[in-house]
Amino acid sequence: MKLLASALLSISLLNATFPLASQGQTAPADVTPNSQAITIVRSGSQAPQNGPADRFTGSVRVQPLFAAVAPSHTSGGLVTFEPGARSAWHSHPVGQALIVTAGTGWIQSWGGPIQEFHQGDIVLIPPGVKHWHGASATSSMTHIAIQEESAGSNTTWMEKVSDEQYSHGPAAIQEPLKPQESNTMNKEPSAIKKTYGDFSPKLVQITDDVLFGDVWERPLSKRDRSLVTVTALIAGGNTEQLPFHLKRARENGVTEAELIETITHLAFYCGWPKAMSAIAVAKETFKP
């Protein structure tokens, strides 16, 4: 249990809305202490509830997954934070582990910087560390929280996180993006600079530094960002920009079949003429 304890992270939501078994939480009906029966808790059988306002800021939903049933002291829950939502400051006597299943989140220990985490990350919070965690300002975030209780409790709640504390954001967001950090799409911006740099230097600078250097590096996957860009270009009838972004989409993991299907789908929403123009450009672009 020591290894699990050091890996555990505190989830304010679960303790707040769903007390642990030792505090009155009821486990599934067929789960009893020392039971030797394997239990399957069916998906959707435990409805999510709103996180209490005195322990969370913003919209938070908590769905219990499993309770601490003796002799175990471990419980788990699925928690979703909408953009800007976060827990209050709190700590866990035995620590907590967060398995991030969707979105982008922020976490901060008392006196430390705000750190960002993403889907697929695992966040490990040591026992007794005062901290908060929640969604980023622009993205929702969902995680599975696993924690142990000690002396009948798994969370110690403290004051709420102020808007001023939250607004600091991760250090990486506060600092301007360094030129060497812009490592995507660098070939096309350099071509733009060669072609238009003398004629429209400001537009070229914004394209290189803001669009390709910052926007494309923000926490939306490049694959999804490519699909959004291709869709917007087709819907707007901007086929002159399409060849570059179709090629970039392929580099970012979108298959040729998926792009063709995207264009087919868009015919129903942005019109046949735009879709037919786009498919002609795609056919030419995808030539071996």
Side-chain angles (χ1 to χ4, degrees), residues 9 34 65 67 153 175 187 193 226 287:
L9 234 148
N34 302 315
L65 297 179
S153 174
E175 299 173 358
K187 294 180 181 179
K193 188 171 184 179
S226 280
K287 279 183 178 179

Side-chain angles (χ1 to χ4, degrees), residues 33-120:
N34 302 315
S35 171
Q36 296 301 304
I38 293 175
T39 300
I40 299 176
V41 181
R42 299 298 177 185
S43 175
S45 62
Q46 306 199 67
Q49 298 182 21
N50 293 329
D54 60 334
R55 294 176 178 177
F56 301 96
T57 299
S59 176
V60 179
R61 298 186 303 280
V62 186
Q63 180 179 354
L65 297 179
F66 58 92
V69 179
S72 172
H73 299 283
T74 305
S75 61
L78 181 70
V79 187
T80 298
F81 296 80
E82 294 304 319
R86 67 269 189 184
S87 71
W89 290 99
H90 62 284
S91 66
H92 303 280
V94 193
Q96 187 182 49
L98 302 180
I99 303 170
V100 186
T101 61
T104 298
W106 293 350
I107 187 167
Q108 180 183 25
S109 60
W110 186 257
I114 296 177
Q115 301 182 70
E116 188 169 276
F117 55 84
H118 305 276
Q119 178 180 342

Side-chain angles (χ1 to χ4, degrees), residues 264-285:
T264 303
H265 187 76
L266 285 171
F268 291 87
Y269 291 91
C270 65
W272 247 260
K274 290 179 179 177
M276 293 305 296
S277 296
I279 207 69
V281 172
K283 182 179 179 181
E284 188 66 26
T285 302

Side-chain angles (χ1 to χ4, degrees), residues 128-140:
V129 172
K130 181 178 180 179
H131 70 287
W132 67 267
H133 52 88
S136 73
T138 58
S139 171
S140 61

Side-chain angles (χ1 to χ4, degrees), residues 13 46 56 62 95 97-98 127 157 164 173 212 242-243 256 280-281 285:
L13 320 169
Q46 306 199 67
F56 301 96
V62 186
L98 302 180
W157 289 99
E164 194 275 333
I173 292 178
F212 295 125
L242 203 51
E256 180 178 322
V281 172
T285 302

